[in-house]
Amino acid sequence: MSNKLITDTFPTVKKQKVIKQKPQSAKTQDKKAEVKKIDVGVSVQDEKTRLSLLKEFDLNSEYGPCIGISRLQRWERAEKFGLHPSQDIKDIITQHLDDETYTECIWKDEKL
């Protein structure tokens, strides 16, 4: 019997970590533009649609973290840093300031 290890049988190969950025498709860009153009008074009548937009805002890391602050605070911080969050998001939040469903992000109960 030989004293060879199984690892001696196979060559060692180092893997290089390659980070690829996928180019945004025209569809993705159009969707983002569409979300920013929504007229709160006309297109977003439905509560489900409004909450869906707020959830998308919460999940969009472009505007920074949302744990520990309200949606309005996050929106204002993003605006302050020139990230241009959708005015429609702010309008939805300010129309429902007394409703925690609209003012608190989906991560409100998470611990840091």
Side-chain angles (χ1 to χ4, degrees):
M1 225 171 153
S2 144
N3 287 337
K4 282 186 154 187
L5 298 173
I6 192 165
T7 53
D8 294 335
T9 307
F10 300 99
T12 304
V13 178
K14 281 191 170 183
K15 291 184 180 179
Q16 293 182 352
K17 190 173 185 179
V18 178
I19 299 173
K20 293 182 181 179
Q21 287 186 332
K22 293 192 282 185
Q24 288 187 346
S25 68
K27 237 183 200 180
T28 305
Q29 290 173 346
D30 291 344
K31 185 177 179 185
K32 284 183 179 181
E34 182 181 313
V35 170
K36 291 185 179 185
K37 291 180 185 176
I38 291 176
D39 181 349
V40 175
V42 178
S43 301
V44 190
Q45 295 294 330
D46 170 56
E47 179 180 10
K48 189 175 181 181
T49 304
R50 288 190 299 255
L51 292 174
S52 175
L53 286 172
L54 293 174
K55 183 178 178 182
E56 283 181 34
F57 176 69
D58 290 347
L59 295 174
N60 188 340
S61 62
E62 179 180 345
Y63 304 117
C66 62
I67 295 176
I69 61 175
S70 70
R71 281 181 173 137
L72 186 58
Q73 290 171 323
R74 183 171 181 247
W75 188 95
E76 290 171 344
R77 182 187 62 201
E79 182 67 22
K80 176 180 153 186
F81 289 116
L83 300 174
H84 309 292
S86 172
Q87 181 65 37
D88 297 332
I89 298 297
K90 183 179 182 182
D91 293 343
I92 293 169
I93 297 167
T94 55
Q95 288 172 1
H96 301 90
L97 288 175
D98 58 334
D99 187 348
E100 202 173 279
T101 306
Y102 288 90
T103 58
E104 297 296 328
C105 85
I106 60 174
W107 310 110
K108 72 178 179 136
D109 294 328
E110 296 296 321
K111 304 285 185 218
L112 291 175

